Amino acid sequence: MRKPARDSVRYRAEHELQHTLSVTLVYLGSTDNIGGVEIVLPVEPEAGDRRVRRSKTALLAATIQLISERGSTEVSVTELAEVADVSRRVLYQHFGSRDALIVAAAADLLSRELIPHLPPNLDTRESTVVMAGHMAANRSFYRAILTGSCSYATARAVSQLFSPFATTDARESFGLDEELASEVGDYFVGATVTAIATWLADGPDPLDPEEFAYRMQRIRSVLTSEQRASADSAR
């Protein structure tokens, strides 16, 4: 797959995603707080320690597997550790808490299976179809985490991942300064996450990504047309 240009929205989004994941998973001996979920990040062995990487990967995979199978975030630390074949102590060492692990699993799934497949121009209907298709294919998992016990923290984390290119989109579409573009971008990302959660929870089975993308683009077209009309009347 061809790499995106360094000045493209997708390139910036991918690097912001990697930064966010590093804040969540890599910073040594630090803490973070996303949506009220404290993420404790302990000091680890050598960064290249294969055992650390394997145990983290196993815990993330176990989280996605169990939540997807049950359609619920009501899984215990003991169950997650057993499926990952690690101890409860290792889980707490790597992620600090069960909810922090769930948030990290969502970010991991997005980074592996959605971000690399998004088209270069993220503000198009095609990108919405790709995103909705990914969510529909993993409906049981995303429905659970966006409506379950750590839904607020998950929604905040997902919003943080996508806010950089939403800000760029708002700035380029509406001609806004950076501060206002950031606020508008955050607003639309939050609204989109809410729309996705509702679609996943209440939509018919099977879900139709094309129909969802059509609805999102229709809303966008109304807003952009109103912005153009306002700009023309001000001339």
Side-chain angles (χ1 to χ4, degrees):
M1 182 177 293
R2 188 175 61 183
K3 293 184 178 179
R6 292 182 65 88
D7 61 345
S8 70
V9 176
R10 177 179 167 185
Y11 179 88
R12 294 193 296 272
E14 288 181 348
H15 280 259
E16 180 63 24
L17 173 61
Q18 291 303 319
H19 171 71
T20 302
L21 289 173
S22 71
V23 169
T24 307
L25 301 174
V26 176
Y27 279 177
L28 304 181
S30 66
T31 62
D32 197 6
N33 189 292
I34 297 179
V37 175
E38 185 176 27
I39 301 176
V40 181
L41 306 171
V43 175
E44 300 174 354
E46 280 289 320
D49 192 320
R50 294 181 180 178
R51 291 172 301 176
V52 172
R53 294 200 301 271
R54 281 199 299 265
S55 59
K56 281 187 174 181
T57 299
L59 283 164
L60 293 169
T63 302
I64 294 169
Q65 175 189 330
L66 285 177
I67 292 177
S68 297
E69 289 175 353
R70 297 184 184 181
S72 170
T73 55
E74 296 305 312
V75 294
S76 69
V77 168
T78 298
E79 290 170 320
L80 291 167
E82 286 179 351
V83 172
D85 195 24
V86 300
S87 68
R88 289 165 52 97
R89 179 179 61 83
V90 168
L91 185 153
Y92 286 118
Q93 283 181 333
H94 290 335
F95 297 100
S97 72
R98 186 200 70 126
D99 283 1
L101 171 56
I102 292 174
V103 173
D108 175 69
L109 185 59
L110 288 168
S111 69
R112 288 186 296 103
E113 298 190 11
L114 174 59
I115 298 295
H117 301 288
L118 287 171
N121 297 319
L122 298 179
D123 59 343
T124 63
R125 182 172 179 274
E126 181 187 0
S127 66
T128 306
V129 171
V130 172
M131 177 194 66
H134 169 76
M135 296 290 178
N138 298 278
R139 182 180 191 176
S140 182
F141 176 74
Y142 286 115
R143 177 171 53 191
I145 65 172
L146 289 172
T147 60
S149 59
C150 55
S151 59
Y152 178 68
T154 302
R156 282 285 304 279
V158 172
S159 296
Q160 288 173 8
L161 295 180
F162 288 95
S163 62
F165 54 81
T167 297
T168 299
D169 184 25
R171 184 177 60 248
E172 295 177 353
S173 297
F174 303 115
L176 307 176
D177 60 58
E178 192 65 28
E179 181 179 0
L180 185 54
S182 178
E183 293 177 357
V184 171
D186 288 346
Y187 174 83
F188 281 115
V189 168
T192 301
V193 171
T194 299
I196 290 172
T198 301
W199 181 61
L200 293 172
D202 301 331
D205 194 16
L207 294 170
D208 184 351
E210 293 278 354
E211 188 273 337
F212 179 81
Y214 169 76
R215 289 195 287 117
M216 293 297 100
Q217 288 301 112
R218 185 173 59 177
I219 294 171
R220 175 183 170 81
S221 67
V222 170
L223 296 173
T224 53
S225 63
E226 288 186 355
Q227 172 66 16
R228 293 193 191 97
S230 177
D232 290 342
S233 64
R235 291 174 184 172

